[in-house]
Amino acid sequence: MPPVAFFILSCLLFSLGGLAFIIKRDLITQFMAIEIMLNAANLALIAAAKFSGTLDAQIIVFFVITVAAAEAAVGLAIILLIYRQKKNIRSEEVNLLKG
Amino acid sequence: MSAYFWLIPFFPGLSTLILVIFGRWLPKKYVSFQAPFAVFLSFLFGLSSFLSLPSTAAHHGEEFLSKTLFAWIYAGSFQVDFTLWFDPLTAIMVLVVTGVGFIIHVYSIGYMADDRSYTRYFSLLNLFTFAMLILVMAKNLVLMFVGWEGVGLCSYLLIGFWFEKHAAANAGKKAFIVNRIGDAAFILGIFFIILNLKTASFPEINQAIAEASLSPGLATLIALLLFVGATGKSAQIPLYVWLPDAMEGPTPVSALIHAATMVTAGVYMVTRLNHLFTFAPLASEVVALIGALTAVYAGTIALTQNDIKRVLAYSTISQIGYMFLGCGVGAYAAGMFHLYTHAFFKSLLFLAAGSVMHALSGELDMRKMGGLKKYLPLTYPTFLIGAITIAGVPFFSGFFSKDAILTQCFARGNYFLWALGLLGAIITAFYMFRLIFLTFHGEERFSQEVRHHLHESPPIMTGPLVVLAFFSVVSGYVGLPVVFGKNLNWFERFLEPVIKSHEEHHLTLNTEWMLIVASVAVALTGIAIAYWLYLKSPALPHQLVARFPGVYRLLVNKYYVDEIYNAAFVQPLVKGSEAIYYNFDLPVIDGAVNGSGRLMNFGGKLLSLLQSGQVRDYALVFLLGVAIILGLVVF
Amino acid sequence: MNQLASLLPLLIIIAAGLIILIMEAFGRGGSRLPHAALAVVALIGGLIYSFSFFGKNAGYFSGAYVLDDVAILLFAIFSLAGILVVLLSVTAMVEHDFNRGEVFALLLFAVAGLMIMASSQDLVVIFLGLETLSISSYVLAGLKKQDQKSSEAAIKYFLLGSLASAFLVLGLAFIYLQAQSLSLNEITHLSSADLASPVFLVGLCLVLIGFGFKVALVPFHMWTPDVYQGAPTPITAFFSTGPKAAGFVVLLRIFWPILRSELSPSSFPLILWILSALTMIVGNLVALRQKNVKRLLAYSSIAHAGYLTVAILSRDARGLIFYLLAYLFMNIGAFAILVALSSKGQEFHELDDFNGLSLRAPWLAASMSLFLFSLAGFPPTAGFLAKFYVFSQAVKQGLTSLVIVAVLASLVSVYYYLRVIVHMYMVKETPAQVAVKGDNPLLLLIVFFCVYGVLYLGLFPRAIIGLLQKAISSLSLL
Amino acid sequence: MAIFLFFLLAALSLAAVAGMIFSRHQAYNALLLAVSFTALGGIFALLDAPFIAAVQIIIYAGAIMVLFIFVIMMINLREPMPPLKKKWVYGLGAILIMVILVELFLVLRSIPGKNFAATAALGSVRSLGQMLFTRYLYPFEITSILIVAAIVGSLYLARRKEKD
Amino acid sequence: MTFLPLAGAILLIFIPKERKDIHRLFALFVSLLTFALSLFVFSAFDASRPEAQLIEKGMWLGYGINYHVGVDGLSLLLVLLTTFLFPVAVLSGWHYIDQRVKEYHIFLLFLETGILGVFVSLNLFLFYVFWEVMLIPMYFLIGLWGGPRRIYATIKFVLFTMLGSLLMLVAIFVLYSYYYKATGTYSFEIADLNRMVLLPGVQTWLFLAFALAFAIKVPMFPFHTWLPDAHVEAPTAGSVILAAVLLKMGVYGFLRLAIPLFPEAVARFTPLLMVLSLIGIIYGGMMALIQKDVKSLVAYSSVSHMGLIMLALFSLNQEAIQGSIIQMVNHGLSTGALFLIVGILYERAHTRLIKDYGGVSRQMPVLAAFFLVCLLSSLGLPGLNGFVGEILCLFGVFQANKVMAYLAVTTVILAAAYLLWMYQRVMHGPIVHDYVRSFRDLNLREIVYLAPVVVLMFWVGIFPNFFLRNTDASVQLLLRRVEEHRKVFVLKDKAVQPAIILPADYSQEVKQAASAVFSSNLTPEVKEAK
């Protein structure tokens, strides 16, 4: 396996995640898209670890997963909050603040 | 006393100060005393200084009375002191100014007696005297310019004395602005002199010219610039237009400022700088030509005017033209001589006219006068003397002075100018007597009401008339022409130290006689025509008007010069300024400023559209940024 | 033990946060003043303690924790911001429905995150600090649970912040790929070939984007106005000062060595140049249109990020830190005034609400004017000197064109700052019922303190400048 | 074998994400996401990161996605989304993503094509644990604050009624 | 002295705002005290020394930023003018300013500090700080107590001025960094920077930035639009200060900074600047002619007058520069006084439109007299102050460029035209509007503040040397400096260095220094020439 394949996959996933963020229209799926992007980045890190033969990157991934978990907790709480107020989670309807 | 000659201008100056500051609380009687008295003091000092002057040219080259009061403006090469001096030329002017001035002050006490701004009037009159004295006593051009502008200011204020009348306010403004045009040129002339001669002081200028440190071309330019200033002040073509309007001022003012003194400042200036003008023959010729043309031109306008003061005003313009003619041909003494005699007879005429107005409750239109001879027993003869003098009837002062100019003209070969002078003389004689006849003779054309109030003026006014009439008659005898004997022209000899000597132009006695006869004839002809037209057959003028309507209209409308100036200069300036203001200043310059602000605002508006409130749009912008930044790195 | 001692400032703050949580858990509600007092004491204590390390410039945990003088100064900025915001929150929390002890805990955690960011030479630690900060911030933005705007601010902040985090992590991966390490110490000692490799550059770009988001550089600024407007005002004050300072210090730590002229990859100065110029221009132009003062200040804070980027670009640590300090006082001061203009869950932050403020509350209006003048960069305020230092250094580094853009942009900013003053002083009072808390002593104290700071920094900053000068010499040691 | 596995897992994860883009139901989305994450975990394992792979599957695909599904169930939206008005946004987004992708690919060209360094058992739990508690002790401790903050925050936000 | 008004302002803050009269009296007292101090400065000033005197110096921020103040011949008169006019300004708003009296006086005193600071600063940084500081109180003065369009006017004023000064700030930075590169030390001291000779190309840009700032302030021709607006809307005291002192700061900037720092660039741009000034003279005059509003008329007349001052300044000769300094004082007095008078009229009629007046002289003879004197002073009547400056300016211009002088002389005519026309329409003619009949003549307070101005007008007009002599030495030094600076370029052939520093006493040593620095770059011809 050439290492570049992993990076290509990572970039593809990252881009798809970005695309999903743009296309999806509910907050929760948009958040999921971000999780995809984070995972893509994780993949790149793991590949880099393998590439360089060092472990540090794996530890970083460990931290990133922790962070992702924490973010998920907070993010979902915020989405719940929004749902309680609006009774939906449509991204477009979160637009009180603009201009 | 003559050591304190420099105090001369400060008497009226101090008086002005007192009147301006405390005038409100001063009783009228006191004012009536103080103002003329100050001028009288100046006169006394002037007289004593005059008497102490070296009486002949023997002292030629010696310093005259001179006093530097303080260093005035010192900046780099521009170094001017506040210096007054007293040389023969100044002496004559000082005596005329204070002498005539005093008489007119006295006259004013009567004339202005009922005016509510009595104090203001006298303070201005004093101020004028002060400024005029500075003008004539200044030892350098810059200080002279102070007086020059000062008298202009007083002229402005006094013309607009009755500022509630639009005409008066307008006339004052016009006088000042027109004068300013001349002054602008005058300033440039001064600059040229200082720049090239490193001095503004008259003796030094003369010396520098004697050393020929000025190229003739430059000298001509300077002389012409200064002369433009003179045309403004002395109401010559093309800047004479303010003087007729200036008659809106009180009549004594017209007499003092617009006849006797201020308007002749130009002549004084040219004479003062006669070295320069002599050095610039071309400029002198221009001076002479303008003088002669003005003499005739203004006379023609005077022919048809019906306003008594305007006739006199045009007559003044015309007479000053004569003075310039004299100066222009090099006969500075003659020019000054005419200035000196003119001061008496013209102020006499004005004061007498004032007396007439006084009698007729302010009426100015000659067509509403007539037959006043019997009502004004003192005014009439004095007026008549004035008219005779100005017309050039022999043995009156005007005759001597005018004849001196014409003779000199002839003697220096300027036959054309001489002819113009003669033409002017005939016109002068005509319109003066037209004035006399229309005013004092013939049928009475004034209304009943006016007749009711008709009265001779009080002695405080007629007194000055008599004095001036006396001087009008005798003042010519200080400068008798050669035909009456050699060395009788004391006036000319007195001025010799001041005036650059040049080769004598001797005419044979016969020629001189012939010239005298010619001018006498001319004067008498003019009078005769006036007599014929206005007393013998009063219908004739109307027929003449009917025959030459175009000419008449041209003359009555003063050649339309005011209108032309208005259309050529004033309106374009105002309209142009408005056009620039509304089409350039507001929309372009101001518009650029406001426009850039609006542009910013518009940019903000566009950018704030991006801020739609949609997370997706924010992400798009985010991605756009990423794309661009990565692109910068990758490519 | 030494390491532990050096961590004490951080530990004090975290411990205080935990204690507050315990107090909240077992407390019986009511006033949260004790919580606030504890927070303030902790912040002050941490600050004082950290200063005992001043001049030592020691690194611990192999560069993961670096208590150099710059870090200590930044601690000072964060602590001051924290203290002021805690006090501001005390004045506003009851009326605005976030009267909870967690607020202080979260604030303290956020401050801890800031400190972690500012005191590290390791990108991993910096990332974790950033996330600590971010997570606390998302919650803080949404503190007003009944307020849709607040929740909206939270979700927007959260979504876009996570997006930026993703880019940041990807960037870390790329950097790691090239450098095999995320320690700045090692990165800066890379060969120039490594530094110039596209992988590394892209990684760096992505990191720049991640932090650029936090400090609100255009075009990663879009969240800023919405979040600033929606978040509770004291929290906004915090957002606009603390994270901005930390973000810039991180950028400084990353780019200070990289932008050394002989090593500088050619495209980086250009990128920073463009970002800086865009940030200044966009921030100021859009601010022109704002009718809400809070939002206006948000845009103004974007613009200020642009000026600060100039300092990054000219490697001017002194100017940067001075600017951050000055910005702290003037911005928190301005937000304190905004806090004063809100009551009972309502915020009176429209421009028209400011009409005639100078008559209703002359002192507040005068202070607000001072803050605005300082933000606009008028002497003799701190804002002027800050701009002065930054711009003069930039010119010295040959960034004249950028400085010209900057001054023109700040000219635009003068317009909208003055507009607020116009409303306070020159427009007649509208009859609307705008309550002003002009008598809250705590608030007045905060305002006074900020006024003092703005003037002190503007007039007699010699001591501070000396301190800064000493501190930045530590940067070159590492 | 490894190549086959890689392509399988890569295709699976990409397909799952693509499916998520086109799917309309949030619960499906979450499930697809879990699939994708699991596949990624497999790839991690391929890359000598067994511990991370395990963490990925347990925490990410397991715990986090459960959280997601839990929230989705709570919300339980039935009504479909109204159609999007600004369709061009998709296009723009796609173009931008493409541009970024191309840029990233261009960068990846410079990665040498050689194989990975052959280090056995790179990601053993033991070595990871050792590093975590020595070199990365400080960041590890930081995560604890992070988690506390997240817990406190989500509790605060998600709690329905205030105590007072 | 500079900070006395500021101290006063700070004290004022603590006086309760209900005590309006105390505020007024106190502000008056402080400004008078400042004036007295400046008189002391005037008397202690040694006219024969060209350099700055009565220096105070202290460290401030370090890095060349010092507190360094003093007066020399260029600034002395302006300082005096400023301190003289502030009590007048305080008095002029005595009753008219009835709202926010306290703030008004605070800002006024604050403004005085700013302006004095600009004039006495010998450190560029300090100069800039004061330059900007002064905007704040002025902003409030116009914005709070101004007319209906005051907000537009005041913002325009501030933004416009800042546009220039911010670019100048950039130029200051550049200058500062050049100095650092040339010497390795930091300095903002104007004296130090003056010793630096920059390459012509560098000078050009820096000069343009400085010139823009100053030209806007002056204001020169295309940058003048803020002036009428600001003047029209400002309260009387604001207009007075604005016209009388603020505009002078621009000229002073040229004199103090732009010309000595960038003589080569000045030489290059002189034609352009002179043409702009000339346009300003005529343009301002023409615009003034047709204004309908008295204040904007006077404002445009300022444009015209300042044009003359600038024209003279760029003639760069002794007469012209001394003339422009004295003319600044004159313009300050006359225009300031005109605004005072307009203010007096406005207080009575609450209108500034010319057509709303007419025949006022009859009701207010004392005012008419004062008005007239000020007017005459403004149009340069000999015997009053305006003449002295005008004639020196014109003469200087005349020396430098005759054609310019010919055109500039038209100002004499135009000024008479627009001022007298305005005077006529306002003061003369019959009384058209009935309310004019109810006008009361000047009260004692108004006379008290107008009279000193008028006395000073006469004083300057009659004894100008009393003031002029103080400027002589400094102007000579300035011109010599410019000359010496430019000499360097004669010796210089495309030097590599962007800047060199001349030794302190370079007038003697300039040649050695220049040859030492540039010896390697000298072309053979130049060497021979030496």
Side-chain angles (χ1 to χ4, degrees), chain E residues 227-301:
Chain E
L227 188 69
D229 285 318
H231 270 323
V232 167
E233 301 304 332
T236 303
S239 296
V240 172
I241 300 301
L242 194 60
V245 194
L246 248 64
L247 307 187
K248 311 301 173 300
M249 288 167 50
V251 186
Y252 178 75
F254 273 110
L255 207 54
R256 167 70 66 212
L257 296 172
I259 290 177
L261 285 175
F262 319 111
E264 196 61 31
V266 171
R268 183 180 299 184
F269 285 102
T270 295
L272 174 71
L273 289 164
M274 285 182 90
V275 168
L276 284 181
S277 313
L278 191 61
I279 293 176
I281 295 176
I282 297 168
Y283 186 87
M286 286 172 72
M287 294 303 104
L289 200 57
I290 52 142
Q291 293 303 314
K292 298 188 170 66
D293 180 315
V294 191
K295 269 191 163 182
S296 73
L297 188 147
V298 182
Y300 272 109
S301 91

Side-chain angles (χ1 to χ4, degrees), chain C residues 8-144:
Chain C
L8 213 54
L10 209 51
L11 290 178
I12 292 174
I13 287 165
I14 294 165
L18 293 172
I19 294 171
I20 288 171
L21 284 179
I22 293 166
M23 283 164 73
E24 183 67 19
F26 297 102
R28 294 192 299 165
S31 167
R32 262 68 180 185
L33 268 179
H35 306 63
L38 179 61
V40 169
V41 167
L43 287 166
I44 292 175
L47 177 61
I48 291 170
Y49 190 75
S50 66
F51 261 92
S52 67
F53 289 89
F54 196 81
K56 288 188 180 155
N57 292 318
Y60 309 97
F61 300 109
S62 56
Y65 179 66
V66 180
L67 200 60
D68 62 357
D69 294 349
V70 171
I72 293 170
L73 284 176
L74 264 294
F75 280 15
I77 292 180
F78 303 146
S79 306
L80 279 176
I83 293 166
L84 292 173
V85 170
V86 165
L87 296 179
L88 268 185
S89 306
V90 169
T91 64
M93 61 198 309
V94 180
E95 291 187 25
H96 290 278
D97 185 31
F98 57 96
N99 187 17
R100 306 278 305 173
E102 286 101 327
V103 175
F104 303 120
L106 285 168
L107 262 175
L108 288 179
F109 291 148
V111 169
L114 293 171
M115 289 178 167
I116 291 164
M117 280 170 81
S119 65
S120 181
Q121 289 275 44
D122 192 328
L123 284 176
V124 183
V125 176
I126 291 175
F127 171 70
L128 288 175
L130 177 71
E131 285 302 326
T132 312
L133 165 69
S134 297
I135 284 175
S136 316
S137 300
Y138 303 149
V139 181
L140 287 171
L143 275 183
K144 286 153 78 176

